[in-house]
């Protein structure tokens, strides 16, 4: 599937029940663009394990990947989504990944062109977490 924003490939992933409240329309699945990091609802369940390394080698795998992707999807409106973003980033940390370090590495990846001003958001997210 192609991204509706930049037309680049996306990664489809199922959203575990514990994170559905943070997904758009509480969808059971979503997609994450490999270029602009846009997260959008997807139709139906995704049966295969998502390969987030297709976004970047900096993107976490395992339990940290989905909450990080959902948090990135909510970053377009920090004021509206602050509580949800904080909870998702805490889940990333509990899974053993430093979300701010991941953002730094994504910012350094020349293949990534985030739709949002990720550098500015990273600074704001740091204030949320500490």
């Amino acid at each position: 599937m192609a991204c509706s924003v930049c037309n680049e490939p996306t990664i489809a992933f199922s959203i575990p029940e514990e994170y559905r409240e943070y997904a758009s329309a509480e969808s059971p699945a979503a997609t994450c663009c490999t270029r602009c990091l846009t997260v959008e609802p997807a139709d139906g369940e995704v049966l295969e394990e998502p390969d987030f390394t297709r976004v970047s080698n900096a993107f976490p795998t395992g339990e940290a990947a989905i909450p990080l992707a959902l948090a990135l999807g909510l970053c377009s409106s920090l004021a509206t989504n602050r509580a949800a973003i904080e909870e998702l980033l805490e889940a990333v940390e509990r899974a053993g990944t430093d979300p701010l370090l991941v953002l730094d590495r994504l910012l350094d990846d020349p293949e990534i062109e985030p739709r949002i001003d990720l550098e500015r958001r990273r600074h704001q997210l740091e204030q949320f977490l500490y």
Side-chain angles (χ1 to χ4, degrees):
M1 185 182 321
C3 175
S4 67
V5 174
C6 70
N7 211 32
E8 291 293 321
T10 61
I11 297 166
F13 58 95
S14 291
I15 302 171
E17 192 67 42
E18 65 190 301
Y19 300 125
R20 290 223 178 124
E21 69 183 283
Y22 308 117
S24 180
E26 296 188 21
S27 174
T31 61
C32 180
C33 179
T34 58
R35 181 102 174 140
C36 72
L37 304 177
T38 297
V39 176
E40 299 178 304
D43 296 329
E45 291 285 334
V46 177
L47 300 177
E48 60 193 49
E49 189 69 29
D51 180 11
F52 283 100
T53 61
R54 288 182 38 223
V55 174
S56 170
N57 286 334
F59 211 96
T61 57
E63 293 180 27
I66 292 173
L68 181 70
L70 293 173
L72 288 171
L74 295 174
C75 279
S76 61
S77 178
L78 291 181
T80 305
N81 299 317
R82 180 179 179 151
I85 292 168
E86 286 177 354
E87 290 176 32
L88 288 165
L89 293 180
E90 287 171 4
V92 172
E93 287 182 323
R94 282 192 306 274
T97 300
D98 181 341
L100 298 177
L101 182 58
V102 171
L103 295 180
D104 288 340
R105 290 179 177 163
L106 289 173
L107 285 166
D108 289 340
D109 189 326
E111 300 296 315
I112 303 286
E113 292 183 21
R115 181 182 66 151
I116 59 170
D117 183 351
L118 192 56
E119 189 169 355
R120 188 167 152 232
R121 293 292 191 246
R122 189 247 181 252
H123 175 71
Q124 294 166 320
L125 293 172
E126 182 177 20
Q127 293 175 338
F128 285 1
L129 294 173
Y130 301 107

